[in-house]
Amino acid sequence: MTDATLAMPARADSLFRRNLRDFRRNRLAMASVLVVLTFVVMAVAAPLIAPQDPNATDLFRRLQPPAWVQGGDWAFPLGCDGLGRDILSRIVYGARISIFIGVAVILLATGVGILAGLAAGYFRGWVDVVIGRVVDILLGFPYLIFAIGLMAMMGPGLMNIVLALAYKEWVIPCRVVRGETLAVRELEYVEAARALGAGPRHIMWREILPNILSPVIVVSTIRMANVIILEASLSFLGLGVQPPTASWGSMVSDGRAFILEAWWVSTFPGLAILLLVLAINVASQGLRDAFDPRFSE
Amino acid sequence: MSLGKLLERLIQLVPVLLGVSLIVFVMLALTPGDPVQIMVGEQAITPEQEAELRHNLGLDRPMVERFFLFVANAVRFDFGQSFYHGRPVAEVIAERLPATIELSLVALIVALATAIPLGVLAAIRKNSIFDRMATVGSLLGVSLPGFWFGILLIMLFAVHLQILPVSGRIGYASEVPAITGFLLIDTLLAGDIGAFGEALRYLVLPAITLGLPMTAILMRVTRTSMLEVMRQDYITFAEAKGLPRRRVLYRHALKNALIPTVSVAAIETGSLLGGNMIVETVFGWPGLGRLVVESIFLRNFPLVQAAVLLYAVTYVLLNFIADILYTVLNPRVKL
Amino acid sequence: MKALPRLLMATALAATPTLFPAAVAAEDLIVGFTLDADTLDPANHRKRETETIIRNMYDGLLTRDANMLVVPEIAESMTQVSATEYDFKLRPGIKFHDGSEMTAEDVKFTLDRVVLDNGMGEGVTSPRQGLMGPIASVEVTAPDTVRITLKEPWPILPAMLPNQQIVSKAWVEAMGNEGVATAENGTGPFKLVEWRKGDAVILERFDDYYGGAADIPPVGPACVDRVVFKIIPESASRVAALLAGEVHIINELPAFSIAQVEANEGTQVMTVNGTRSFFIAMNMEGEYFDDVKVRQAAAMAIDKNLIIDKILGGNAAPIDGILSPAAFGASELPSVGYNPEQAKALLAEAGFPDGIDVTMDTEGAFKDTAEAIASMLTNAGIRTTVAVGEGAQLSDKWRTKGAPKSGDMYFTSWGNGSLDPFDIFTPTHRTNDRGNSAGYANPALDALLDAAAVELDVDKRRAMYRDAEMMINADQPYVYLWVPKDIYGVSRRVTGWQPSADSRINLHDACLN
């Protein structure tokens, strides 16, 4: 019995390493990780990178085209928006907001989802029923409409955006965790730990959680990509971040009105979203291939 | 599926719908912004007139009473009057629903029609260039913000090339009888091929924009399950028996591989129905999503409540359909 | 492998127009319009857009020409009998779309339906009651004459009457309120063919039309066979539809699209003076703006002309009081001018040598302009953060009707469709009135506004509003900004149509070549 409990972490560990090795071998996935990291560095070092003050308006530069187009200026490489602000600098700073929203929503949602999912899957019975009902009810709401309603209720603000998205987002990791927990709780080593007198808290955190983390991570990264797009959609509906800060979503949606006259205002932030979300998606695909062989070949 | 299971499912619907109604109600109650004040806007109004208006809208009753009244009426499919339209909410929603359903279904069909062949090919030619490109392509599909992509499509096809219309559902030259509310069906019933083609042309861009993320998801699902099925013993066995590979793939493997695709498609259709207000706004599509968002901003409480209930029922039903499809297509699964 | 499906797709796309030739809509005049009508009931709507659509099917006793002059329409003439009595003689031979003759009874019924409590029956009072002021009664005094009696003098009755459209008594009683909401039976130049909700309102010419206001030529049936209000909420899509030739007139053309529409062959831009005044409310109950020096500093910090020039494309008139230059009683007022240095000095004088930190609330639609203003204020020491809120939340916060308010500044606007000071000056400046978001309280001004509202002598009334404007110009409860023009994109094929200052799109005279 003791052998079994001792053996488990070692097994998990070597599996993890092998998975990681698989992942590293996936060149496309590694490239994507590099792209994501680049964006993160850009966000962190924004003041060092941005050529201009992102919020400095200059109406005389309103809708100035990118540098390589006639009328452009290399001091403002990607051109200026409707208030004459440098688009490149706003994208660099906007990375902070977009990445923050993606990470914050997913951390919050995954945290809550793990707690609820573990409880539902481990205790089953009425705990499972109650959590299951709440999940069902929340799933009955269309995602965006729920978020719009919450934003109308809570008012604008960065933290409120995070909350509005997280209120429903936690349901997804919760379902994954519950399902995995149900499967894992009957496995030998968990039985063994229980027989050894380990309490539910110990079993859930020490025995079950580490073994179900892979699918949770995979799902979370995919969802993070999705959350960034959802934030952009909220911006499109006029419920985005507060000025003068820009998220990429709000830049695209503010710039869309100019699309016929000044394509650059919405196109560059749109490409930034596309690139980051694509990189996250490719990376998480790689993760899934490496860590969750059930879903891949 | 047994009758008992079916009944159980229907009973499960009750707490979900009650919970959804309660949450909507509480959310609307906690939302700042007085419907009466929004309605009156800049107009002059005496306190008596305001009280009268509040009374007419039923907003002078206590919250709890309003909630029970709403539930009691909703059971009889009476959702009250829309604050702005001077007509029953159910009627207003019913007018907008066909457009939304038609767009969603066409998007679904487009998605299935592209996703299944691409997914199967990707699986058969696993790790080929085609497979890689299809993978990246599908990830690209889920990475595009819909409103941005939609506007780019308008720019290209409607403004520059001028081969597709910018906005709307159909032109105005042809009169389409309102039989089902689905223009593609109504135009055919009327025998008006020209109008049918026109309706189709208006559908192309919004359906692509709406269906693209779904195509991407379904392609991945098809590819994965196809690969899984191809590894199964009976396929290997069939091949060993000397059956032609093509026949094995399409007769045996594909049928089983499509099960997950179809059930995921059913569930995803729910999110299509609830997530298309963006596409509807960009393409001026006269659907329900746009109306619901406008109603939230205008605090048109009865309409928002009824629409959200409708979404919840649809969601539950689609999941139910997904389950049934799963059983029908795969007799081994017993629910 | 990948090329093939794409090729097929491209072929299919290219082939659709030839496979299914779209029927040619030769004479449909199509308006790309921002919002659908909520209802077609002339007594039961609340939005300007709804009225614009209804107005092409229903005529009123009076109407306005493109220059906002009130002229008789269904009425042949209007006579003011006394300070509180007006007689309207009706034109003979006016027909409703169902063929029935319009009578004085119909006019009385229409006005009663709007004015009386429970006037619409079924326990419903018209939401448009407030637009009709102190009407005591409406009586038929002769087969072709209707008399409106007021409880007290209300000189703007003629200016407000174009907002009411005449319905048929028999028809409304037969249809009920819900029936009237989706069908129509007016006396206007067009009748309803089909209302595709959320998508389009399709109208066709009413051949028995009496011709419309005699003072607005041409008189006679409408020029085009059919008109369509096509709903396109997204402004980029609306402009795209105009450029692609799908629609012939669009409203709310963004100022930055003007150059594109002008450059495009076959389209042009038309503008008309608007009636909506933009201003910034400064919370006079708050810690900074109770001091007139701080308010003046804010006014001096903003370069209105630069914003008008750069953001509004020159399509706005600056104001130094609440009234639009085109409004009754408007006059030349002293301007503080743009002077950031003096603004800083004033701030210091007021006890804020290091400047102040404030928040400016606004709705999403005005984010750009508000941000431009905020950076100008910031340059002058009023460090301003813009907070974008939802309209419903902001009116709760700022239009408190006297209840205490929070917040520093509010970038907002107030409409003045009648161009009479009564429905803009009083609500925004009278103590605790519904639009007084600055929390301004000046008993002398209150008395003046109350007196001006009922003054019948036109010259005296004009002078009273001039005095009122001078008072608020000195007190500066708001930073008065500008009145933007309404901008339309119009196909060059359209003739005979011009935009109207009240934002209505009357298509009676429009032709399509």
Side-chain angles (χ1 to χ4, degrees):
Chain A
M1 278 301 163
T2 337
D3 283 346
T5 37
L6 284 178
M8 264 326 284
R11 193 189 69 92
D13 191 45
S14 66
L15 183 68
F16 186 82
R17 279 201 192 142
R18 206 182 61 219
N19 289 341
L20 202 63
R21 205 174 54 232
D22 282 355
F23 182 70
R24 285 219 194 102
R25 250 192 253 134
N26 184 340
R27 258 181 293 162
L28 194 60
M30 285 312 286
S32 306
V33 171
L34 213 66
V35 171
V36 175
L37 283 180
T38 311
F39 274 117
V40 171
V41 169
M42 193 169 102
V44 173
L48 301 176
I49 296 172
Q52 305 284 342
D53 173 353
N55 300 327
T57 63
D58 177 0
L59 289 181
F60 291 98
R61 290 191 187 279
R62 178 173 163 83
L63 303 181
Q64 178 179 302
W68 59 89
V69 178
Q70 197 188 357
D73 176 351
W74 279 106
F76 302 84
L78 301 183
C80 295
D81 70 1
L83 292 176
R85 296 174 295 201
D86 179 42
I87 291 175
L88 177 62
S89 305
R90 287 179 75 71
I91 290 178
V92 170
Y93 273 89
R96 293 182 158 187
I97 307 298
S98 292
I99 293 175
F100 170 78
I101 290 175
V103 171
V105 170
I106 289 304
L107 280 185
L108 205 62
T110 311
V112 175
I114 286 177
L115 285 180
L118 271 179
Y122 186 78
F123 294 115
R124 295 192 288 190
W126 66 268
V127 180
D128 191 16
V129 171
V130 170
I131 292 176
R133 271 300 123 70
V134 174
V135 167
D136 278 346
I137 290 169
L138 287 180
L139 283 173
F141 282 95
Y143 207 128
L144 256 184
I145 288 180
F146 193 62
I148 294 165
L150 282 170
M151 287 304 291
M153 186 177 102
M154 300 186 297
L158 188 58
M159 282 323 288
N160 286 349
I161 297 178
V162 170
L163 283 177
L165 294 173
Y167 269 124
K168 210 183 127 133
E169 183 63 39
W170 68 272
V171 165
I172 292 160
C174 172
R175 291 228 286 188
V176 174
V177 170
R178 177 184 171 274
E180 297 287 323
T181 307
L182 278 177
V184 169
R185 81 187 291 274
E186 307 300 339
L187 291 182
E188 243 172 62
Y189 70 95
V190 177
E191 294 283 348
R194 202 176 292 137
L196 281 173
R201 198 186 297 173
H202 174 88
I203 295 177
M204 281 193 277
W205 288 112
R206 290 292 158 86
E207 306 293 341
I208 299 181
L209 188 58
N211 285 290
I212 63 170
L213 223 43
S214 295
V216 175
I217 292 171
V218 169
V219 168
S220 298
T221 48
I222 297 178
R223 293 302 305 175
M224 191 183 297
N226 215 36
V227 163
I228 292 173
I229 291 198
L230 278 167
E231 186 274 325
S233 306
L234 278 183
S235 288
F236 174 82
L237 295 166
L239 299 169
V241 295
Q242 286 293 344
T245 343
S247 74
W248 293 342
S250 66
M251 292 177 72
V252 179
S253 76
D254 293 349
R256 74 180 195 272
F258 305 114
I259 190 122
L260 296 165
E261 300 80 18
W263 54 269
W264 53 91
V265 182
S266 65
T267 302
F268 292 120
L271 285 175
I273 297 183
L274 179 61
L275 199 59
L276 175 66
V277 173
L278 184 62
I280 296 178
N281 273 324
V282 172
S284 70
Q285 181 74 40
L287 272 182
R288 170 193 280 211
D289 289 346
F291 281 76
D292 208 348
R294 272 169 308 166
F295 291 119
S296 64
E297 50 290 332
Chain B
M1 180 170 294
S2 68
L3 201 69
K5 277 281 176 194
L6 194 91
L7 216 66
E8 203 185 309
R9 275 305 186 97
L10 284 177
I11 291 170
Q12 274 173 8
L13 191 60
V14 176
V16 171
L17 292 186
L18 267 179
V20 166
S21 314
L22 186 64
I23 290 180
V24 178
F25 227 85
V26 172
M27 269 170 65
L28 291 177
L30 293 179
T31 302
D34 172 14
V36 173
Q37 197 178 348
I38 299 167
M39 199 172 279
V40 171
E42 298 175 352
Q43 276 179 36
I45 188 167
T46 63
E48 297 79 47
Q49 288 170 341
E50 190 183 324
E52 162 94 21
L53 187 54
R54 203 172 291 280
H55 175 76
N56 283 344
L57 300 176
L59 291 169
D60 54 343
R61 298 166 194 250
M63 271 310 295
V64 180
E65 193 187 326
R66 267 157 59 195
F67 179 68
F68 283 111
L69 211 66
F70 170 74
V71 174
N73 288 330
V75 172
R76 290 179 280 125
F77 294 102
D78 172 8
F79 299 96
Q81 296 275 120
S82 161
F83 289 175
Y84 284 83
H85 300 85
R87 287 184 293 142
V89 159
E91 195 180 311
V92 177
I93 289 182
E95 287 161 0
R96 296 294 195 97
L97 203 52
T100 291
I101 295 179
E102 183 168 43
L103 176 59
S104 300
L105 285 184
V106 172
L108 173 72
I109 292 167
V110 170
L112 283 173
T114 17
I116 293 176
L118 289 180
V120 170
L121 273 177
I124 293 174
R125 300 166 178 239
K126 189 180 129 192
N127 292 334
S128 68
I129 290 289
F130 176 80
D131 184 23
R132 296 249 169 87
M133 280 177 61
T135 302
V136 175
S138 77
L139 292 175
L140 202 69
V142 287
S143 308
L144 280 163
F147 59 92
W148 183 58
F149 183 57
I151 293 175
L152 291 185
L153 285 181
I154 291 182
M155 288 286 293
L156 180 61
F157 289 103
V159 178
H160 287 304
L161 300 178
Q162 303 213 348
I163 53 174
L164 289 170
V166 175
S167 171
R169 236 185 130 189
I170 193 168
Y172 307 106
S174 34
E175 243 168 273
V176 182
I179 304 166
T180 61
F182 302 114
L183 288 183
L184 288 184
I185 298 177
D186 288 351
T187 48
L188 282 186
L189 288 178
D192 190 342
I193 289 295
F196 176 80
E198 203 185 352
L200 210 55
R201 274 162 41 78
Y202 276 88
L203 260 166
V204 173
L205 295 184
I208 289 178
T209 312
L210 187 62
L212 190 74
M214 191 170 175
T215 312
I217 294 168
L218 293 182
M219 202 213 96
R220 298 305 300 166
V221 173
T222 309
R223 176 181 178 273
T224 308
S225 62
M226 188 74 186
L227 283 173
E228 198 157 309
V229 170
M230 278 160 62
R231 272 208 307 266
Q232 302 283 325
D233 291 342
Y234 69 97
I235 299 290
T236 326
F237 180 68
E239 278 186 328
K241 262 192 352 192
L243 288 174
R245 180 172 156 85
R246 186 175 285 262
R247 193 164 144 214
V248 174
L249 282 178
Y250 293 107
R251 273 281 173 76
H252 303 278
L254 186 57
K255 200 180 136 223
N256 285 309
L258 283 187
I259 297 166
T261 310
V262 169
S263 51
V264 168
I267 295 171
E268 285 289 317
T269 307
S271 53
L272 276 193
L273 283 173
N276 53 12
M277 71 282 289
I278 302 260
V279 175
E280 286 177 1
T281 306
V282 172
F283 291 99
W285 193 262
L288 183 60
R290 221 171 82 197
L291 181 70
V292 175
V293 174
E294 281 165 16
S295 301
I296 293 178
F297 290 141
L298 291 172
R299 308 287 186 265
N300 191 351
F301 293 163
L303 203 149
V304 177
Q305 287 156 3
V308 171
L309 263 192
L310 178 74
Y311 284 126
V313 172
T314 320
Y315 174 81
V316 175
L317 287 181
L318 282 170
N319 270 277
F320 187 50
I321 291 170
D323 286 350
I324 292 177
L325 284 174
Y326 208 80
T327 346
V328 172
L329 286 175
N330 189 354
R332 282 172 301 177
V333 179
K334 289 274 175 283
L335 286 181
Chain C
M1 212 56 230
K2 198 174 158 72
L4 186 64
R6 210 198 279 155
L7 188 69
L8 279 177
M9 175 102 167
T11 324
L13 273 182
T16 36
T18 42
L19 270 182
F20 311 104
V24 182
E27 288 302 323
D28 282 6
L29 173 67
I30 304 180
V31 180
F33 199 55
T34 38
L35 258 186
D36 194 12
D38 286 332
T39 165
L40 298 185
D41 186 342
N44 199 20
H45 65 87
R46 303 176 170 85
K47 291 208 202 104
R48 190 168 51 85
E49 287 84 353
T50 300
E51 183 169 344
T52 292
I53 292 174
I54 289 179
R55 248 304 182 163
N56 281 288
M57 295 177 268
Y58 285 93
D59 278 356
L61 272 181
L62 308 178
T63 190
R64 306 184 193 101
D65 69 8
N67 301 316
M68 296 296 283
L69 194 69
V70 174
V71 295
E73 194 170 30
I74 281 176
E76 200 169 65
S77 62
M78 176 186 79
T79 327
Q80 184 164 5
V81 184
S82 75
T84 55
E85 286 168 306
Y86 293 78
D87 273 358
F88 296 87
K89 190 170 187 311
L90 306 178
R91 280 166 71 144
I94 292 181
K95 282 203 173 88
F96 285 110
H97 295 163
D98 65 2
S100 61
E101 191 99 2
M102 192 207 72
T103 66
E105 278 301 327
D106 293 316
V107 176
K108 173 178 163 53
F109 175 81
T110 300
L111 294 176
D112 281 349
R113 195 161 174 261
V114 172
V115 169
L116 298 181
D117 286 333
N118 190 18
M120 296 176 62
E122 305 163 36
V124 183
T125 301
S126 167
R128 301 180 71 69
Q129 192 187 39
L131 287 173
M132 290 311 292
I135 290 188
S137 69
V138 182
E139 285 148 285
V140 178
T141 50
D144 63 347
T145 309
V146 175
R147 168 168 298 178
I148 296 178
T149 309
L150 300 169
K151 292 179 195 137
E152 58 188 13
W154 195 55
I156 67 167
L157 176 74
M160 298 305 272
L161 268 176
N163 295 323
Q164 307 301 337
Q165 296 88 39
I166 306 304
V167 297
S168 149
K169 180 179 186 213
W171 182 77
V172 170
E173 282 173 349
M175 297 290 284
N177 286 340
E178 275 179 30
V180 175
T182 54
E184 66 83 28
N185 183 30
T187 57
F190 296 98
K191 53 184 187 183
L192 181 68
V193 176
E194 191 187 355
W195 182 14
R196 298 182 186 159
K197 305 197 179 62
D199 181 21
V201 185
I202 305 172
L203 312 176
E204 68 180 359
R205 179 175 48 222
F206 175 48
D207 289 323
D208 286 340
Y209 187 50
Y210 65 91
D215 297 312
I216 311 175
V219 174
C223 177
V224 285
D225 292 339
R226 304 210 318 167
V227 297
V228 178
F229 281 90
K230 177 178 173 127
I231 313 308
I232 313 178
E234 181 72 15
S235 67
S237 306
R238 216 162 48 246
V239 177
L242 178 75
L243 296 180
E246 270 178 49
V247 301
H248 307 110
I249 298 175
I250 61 170
N251 71 334
E252 294 189 22
L253 177 74
F256 50 77
S257 295
I258 288 179
Q260 182 124 16
V261 172
E262 285 288 4
N264 182 53
E265 201 183 334
T267 56
Q268 60 180 325
V269 174
M270 291 173 100
T271 60
V272 63
N273 290 325
T275 56
R276 181 164 284 275
S277 299
F278 280 75
F279 46 84
I280 303 169
M282 294 172 280
N283 185 357
M284 294 175 64
E285 297 163 10
E287 52 176 322
Y288 303 123
F289 295 113
D290 53 342
D291 189 337
V292 69
K293 286 192 181 117
V294 182
R295 300 198 296 272
Q296 278 168 347
M300 276 176 200
I302 299 168
D303 188 350
K304 281 186 248 184
N305 291 322
L306 183 67
I307 293 179
I308 291 175
D309 187 34
K310 294 293 175 187
I311 296 187
L312 305 174
N315 291 290
I319 48 175
D320 293 294
I322 189 69
L323 297 179
S324 149
F328 175 84
S331 54
E332 194 75 27
L333 295 168
S335 172
V336 292
Y338 169 59
N339 194 339
E341 290 315 312
Q342 203 186 335
K344 277 183 198 156
L346 272 172
L347 267 187
E349 251 177 72
F352 305 105
D354 302 325
I356 54 177
D357 291 283
V358 295
T359 303
M360 181 160 74
D361 288 319
T362 191
E363 279 179 54
F366 309 119
K367 192 167 101 172
D368 248 24
T369 318
E371 280 191 82
I373 290 176
S375 65
M376 289 174 174
L377 287 168
T378 303
N379 286 340
I382 304 173
R383 290 177 294 273
T384 309
T385 316
V386 174
V388 174
E390 199 202 342
Q393 290 173 344
L394 290 178
S395 70
D396 243 22
K397 178 175 173 183
W398 283 95
R399 294 180 181 166
T400 57
K401 298 178 194 156
K405 59 186 95 218
S406 57
D408 304 314
M409 305 177 102
Y410 177 32
F411 178 94
T412 184
S413 68
W414 195 274
N416 185 213
S418 66
L419 283 178
D420 187 284
F422 173 76
D423 65 353
I424 183 165
F425 217 137
T426 306
T428 52
H429 286 79
R430 201 179 184 285
T431 307
N432 295 343
D433 214 307
R434 62 189 192 279
N436 188 342
S437 30
Y440 180 53
N442 180 349
L445 179 74
D446 292 353
L448 190 55
L449 289 176
D450 288 351
V454 293
E455 176 57 58
L456 291 174
D457 184 306
V458 174
D459 289 330
K460 259 195 212 155
R461 192 162 177 258
R462 186 174 284 130
M464 290 165 105
Y465 280 118
R466 160 81 188 172
D467 291 348
E469 285 258 270
M470 289 304 286
M471 277 188 201
I472 64 169
N473 182 271
D475 282 351
Q476 289 276 326
Y478 301 89
V479 181
Y480 304 102
L481 298 170
W482 49 73
V483 177
K485 288 184 177 174
D486 291 344
I487 313 175
Y488 296 82
V490 186
S491 160
R492 290 192 187 273
R493 295 177 55 207
V494 175
T495 55
W497 180 80
Q498 52 177 323
S500 165
D502 56 6
S503 304
R504 293 196 324 215
I505 301 176
N506 292 331
L507 296 168
H508 171 223
D509 300 338
C511 297
L512 195 62
N513 301 324

